[in-house]
């Protein structure tokens, strides 16, 4: 079973990546306890920023971006984590979503999460993130996870954040455990001469 984690943090180290790793670890543990083997892959958008911009301008994805897009398209489940800027997902995150095929996530279970400076940004998960994935016809788990700066502080033994991470991971694992691992057939390429002959016959 393939679990892909898309993280749009801009700094190194990144609280966005930290949250992504905690969510992925919790989901993998839940799936493991349900007897499902899981392969976790992290797509770090910061490393693909130039490729994403090139693709938006030229329409042709460089190899690294093409590989990341294929991983997302073939995923059984997705964890999507972005920093929140100006009450919305980051431009880098949205630009990556824009290069995906409009049907790439249809029916795919998705756990949405975000980080931000204050808890006031948490509503962006429900007002922009959830509608975005609903538009893409993904199946978004009920619990969205937001981590503000204070969630990583000294009090961050933090039953609140840890509890939300565990609950969201259980919801994602429950969706994935009830599904067979996706089988993706290679796209069949019809030779041009064959397509031309078919058109002549019409």
């Amino acid at each position: 079973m393939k679990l892909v984690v898309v993280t749009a943090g801009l700094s190194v180290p990144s609280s966005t990546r930290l949250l992504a790793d905690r969510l992925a670890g919790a989901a993998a543990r839940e799936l493991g306890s349900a007897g499902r083997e899981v392969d976790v892959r992290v797509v770090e958008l910061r490393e693909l920023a130039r490729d994403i911009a090139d693709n938006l301008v030229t329409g042709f994805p460089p190899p690294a971006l093409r590989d990341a897009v294929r991983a997302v398209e073939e995923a059984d489940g997705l964890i999507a984590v972005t920093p929140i800027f100006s009450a919305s997902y980051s431009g880098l995150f949205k630009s990556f979503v824009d290069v995906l095929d409009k049907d790439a996530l249809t029916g795919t279970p998705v756990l949405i999460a975000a980080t931000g400076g204050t808890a006031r940004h948490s509503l962006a998960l429900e007002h922009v993130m959830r509608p975005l994935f609903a538009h893409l016809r993904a199946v978004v788990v009920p619990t969205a996870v937001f981590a503000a700066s204070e969630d990583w502080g000294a009090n961050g033994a933090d039953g609140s954040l840890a509890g939300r991470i565990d609950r969201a991971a259980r919801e994602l694992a429950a969706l994935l455990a009830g599904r067979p691992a996706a089988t993706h057939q290679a796209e069949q390429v019809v030779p041009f001469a064959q397509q031309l002959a078919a058109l002549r016959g019409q």
Side-chain angles (χ1 to χ4, degrees), residues 7 9 17 42-52 64 92:
T7 173
R17 176 61 188 267
V42 177
V43 174
E44 185 72 71
L45 297 186
R46 180 180 180 276
E47 299 170 357
L48 298 170
R50 184 167 297 170
D51 287 353
I52 293 169
L92 178 60

Side-chain angles (χ1 to χ4, degrees), residues 24-173:
R29 285 193 301 274
E30 291 289 338
L31 286 165
S33 66
R36 301 300 294 265
E37 290 186 17
V38 60
D39 176 32
V40 178
R41 172 167 177 182
V42 177
V43 174
E44 185 72 71
L45 297 186
R46 180 180 180 276
E47 299 170 357
L48 298 170
R50 184 167 297 170
D51 287 353
I52 293 169
D54 287 345
N55 183 78
L56 290 172
V57 172
T58 66
F60 296 100
L65 177 59
R66 186 164 52 244
D67 180 60
V69 168
R70 185 182 301 116
V72 170
E73 291 175 345
E74 295 180 353
D76 295 291
L78 182 70
I79 296 174
V81 192
T82 179
I84 298 298
F85 299 125
S86 302
S88 188
Y89 33 63
S90 73
L92 178 60
F93 180 83
K94 182 56 165 60
S95 295
F96 178 72
V97 172
D98 286 344
V99 305
L100 298 175
D101 183 85
K102 63 182 178 60
D103 298 319
L105 296 178
T106 299
T108 302
V110 177
L111 191 167
I112 56 173
T115 57
T118 73
R120 289 176 301 178
H121 293 301
S122 61
L123 286 177
L125 280 166
E126 302 302 330
H127 286 277
V128 294
M129 284 282 280
R130 195 177 294 277
L132 172 65
F133 285 100
H135 171 73
L136 295 171
R137 298 190 297 279
V139 180
V140 185
V141 303
T143 300
V145 180
F146 183 85
S149 297
E150 58 264 27
D151 289 319
W152 306 110
N155 296 328
D158 184 59
S160 168
L161 177 59
R164 281 179 280 132
I165 287 172
D166 288 342
R167 184 167 66 247
R170 280 195 302 272
E171 292 168 356
L172 179 63

Side-chain angles (χ1 to χ4, degrees), residues 182-199:
T183 55
H184 298 277
Q185 298 180 348
E187 181 181 353
Q188 298 203 349
V189 179
V190 179
F192 178 72
Q194 186 177 334
Q195 294 182 46
L196 194 57
L199 287 173

